[in-house]
Amino acid sequence: MAVRCPTAGPAWRVRTVARFSGRLSSVAVDPRRRMAFELVATGRGGLGPFRLHRIGLGRGRAVTGPRFPVSRVSLAAGYAWVSGAVVHGQSVRLALYQVSPATLRVIRSWRLTGWRPAGLGGVPVTGGPRG
């Protein structure tokens, strides 16, 4: 199906390869590996815990991974990184999980802060000079 956007100029080809959950919290796409990762809320009202899914962009096949208490997924240095604030009452602490894209198993995890008053946000993750 060709879609024309009047403000974007020429038309481009659009193809749906996967449908993401309506309870989606975060998504990251790896075009080189032809896969996407999504974190989906499993709690009421779009709250955690959050379940990680890997979706193949070729056939849309989904693989279910572990649950996490945090809500963001990103890709860097060949890994999926799940991060954010773990909420406990009125307190939060920041956490980071390194996840294998192939197996969806947690390789390592870090507590980045102790318990603090609510208000801390996300944990940005990006590739660095040494991966």
Side-chain angles (χ1 to χ4, degrees):
M1 164 174 85
V3 175
R4 182 170 296 280
C5 180
T7 60
W12 62 89
R13 305 276 314 153
V14 175
R15 182 175 75 118
T16 301
V17 294
R19 298 214 185 275
F20 295 111
S21 167
R23 299 178 70 148
L24 180 68
S25 173
S26 178
V27 66
V29 178
D30 186 344
R32 186 176 56 83
R33 288 189 175 136
R34 298 182 46 87
M35 61 181 65
F37 298 85
E38 70 173 356
L39 274 173
V40 176
T42 61
R44 290 183 174 184
L47 301 176
F50 301 89
R51 174 82 66 184
L52 181 64
H53 298 271
R54 182 184 67 224
I55 301 167
L57 296 179
R59 297 183 184 183
R61 182 173 168 256
V63 176
T64 300
R67 288 183 180 190
F68 294 92
V70 294
S71 61
R72 310 247 334 130
V73 63
S74 54
L75 301 171
Y79 297 98
W81 299 88
V82 179
S83 62
V86 178
V87 179
H88 182 71
Q90 297 296 316
S91 298
V92 297
R93 82 170 168 225
L94 298 180
L96 175 65
Y97 300 85
Q98 182 182 18
V99 178
S100 165
T103 66
L104 297 183
R105 290 190 177 166
V106 174
I107 296 169
R108 290 185 277 196
S109 65
W110 296 267
R111 290 183 191 162
L112 302 178
T113 66
W115 291 107
R116 300 176 185 239
L120 292 175
V123 180
V125 177
T126 185
R130 295 187 183 184

